[in-house]
Amino acid sequence: MTLLHLSGIRKSFGAVDVLHGVDLDVAAGEVIGLVGDNGAGKSTLMKTITGIYSADAGAIELDGRSILHLDPGERRRIGIEMIYQDLSLAKQQDVASNIFLGREPVKKMFGFIPGMVDKARMDREAAEMIERLGAHLPSINRPVSSFSGGQQQTVAIARALTFDPKLVIMDEPTAALAVREVQSVLDLIRRLKSEGIAVILISHRLNDVLAVTDRIVVLRHGRAEADLRTADTNMNEVVARIVGGGDTASAAAHELGGHR
């Protein structure tokens, strides 16, 4: 069943056309890899899905409902989450404070008057969310700045899950991570899939994309160049679609694959 449906999405900035009629379908619980060279339109497409940018033309539907008229906050409330490459964490705050940032539960005074932040509840529910992900953190009471890159990704994913998302968009989640941490993040993506949450994974690390996705969509010059079943493709074909084929594709395969 289609969860997200994009049809004919176009976006320009002044005289510069960035997206040229992009079509994309994502099913519930499906992991889609979105790949392409810098400037292919990946970030613009994702920001159009989340509502940061307004599409100039085309349709965007979630669960069969048009969401073009919804602002980013409304799209988040109905189930679209995006985790940016910089994670947007409050690095000096602890795990629970990051997960509940801006939505802290409060204790009730006299049964009905809002009082102080309920830190005990925050810590308890944060620990439950980390456990739900099957992840391990040194402590939920330490500032996230003391965590590794992979552990910070865990916190960002846990925060996204508190909004009960139907779709999570992840921007370069394995960039600059060590091998063990890459595997941990890929396992977290698999966990989201197992819970029926769809994932769009934007990455230049094609080894990671091939390892965890169901389909790979290649953007090239603002167009969907290819929509490939991961099980039926390979590194060379994906690279050829990204760079346009020829000898350049063979030379670029190792570079785009990343080092494992």
Side-chain angles (χ1 to χ4, degrees), residues 23-204:
D23 299 334
L24 176 66
D25 286 323
V26 182
E30 187 175 30
V31 181
I32 303 294
L34 184 67
V35 301
D37 276 340
N38 292 331
K42 303 186 298 298
S43 293
T44 298
L45 181 62
M46 293 305 100
K47 290 178 180 179
T48 303
I49 293 172
T50 60
I52 294 174
Y53 296 151
S54 298
D56 296 332
I60 304 177
E61 298 177 356
L62 188 74
D63 281 334
R65 169 193 174 190
S66 175
I67 63 172
L68 283 174
H69 62 291
L70 300 181
D71 64 32
E74 292 170 322
R75 296 190 195 193
R76 191 177 199 184
R77 282 190 287 275
I78 65 171
I80 298 176
E81 276 288 320
M82 183 162 181
I83 301 174
Y84 292 92
Q85 188 171 357
D86 66 5
L87 302 181
S88 299
L89 296 174
K91 296 292 182 71
Q92 299 308 313
Q93 300 296 317
D94 64 15
V95 173
S97 297
N98 272 277
I99 290 176
F100 290 97
L101 190 64
R103 300 171 295 114
E104 295 85 354
V106 296
K107 298 177 181 178
K108 300 289 186 179
M109 298 175 61
F110 309 109
F112 61 93
I113 302 174
M116 298 179 62
V117 169
D118 192 341
K119 188 64 167 65
R121 177 184 167 189
M122 286 171 57
D123 288 347
R124 183 178 66 253
E125 294 185 4
E128 291 171 354
M129 188 63 70
I130 299 301
E131 182 178 359
R132 172 183 169 186
L133 286 171
H136 302 282
L137 295 177
S139 169
I140 63 169
N141 300 121
R142 281 170 47 181
V144 298
S145 61
S146 67
F147 292 167
S148 68
Q151 291 167 341
Q152 291 184 24
Q153 279 284 353
T154 297
V155 176
I157 294 171
R159 181 179 59 191
L161 285 182
T162 65
F163 287 92
D164 294 321
K166 298 176 181 179
L167 168 69
V168 175
I169 302 168
M170 304 180 73
D171 186 10
E172 299 287 353
T174 59
L177 296 185
V179 173
R180 175 182 289 184
E181 293 205 306
V182 168
Q183 290 306 315
S184 295
V185 172
L186 296 183
D187 286 342
L188 290 176
I189 293 172
R190 295 184 182 102
R191 180 62 65 95
L192 297 179
K193 175 182 173 65
S194 73
E195 295 194 8
I197 299 170
V199 177
I200 297 178
L201 171 62
I202 305 170
S203 181
H204 285 93

Side-chain angles (χ1 to χ4, degrees), residues 235-254 256:
M235 178 78 71
N236 286 337
E237 181 180 10
V238 175
V239 173
R241 296 285 193 160
I242 291 173
V243 302
D247 294 338
T248 307
S250 177
H254 177 70
L256 286 173

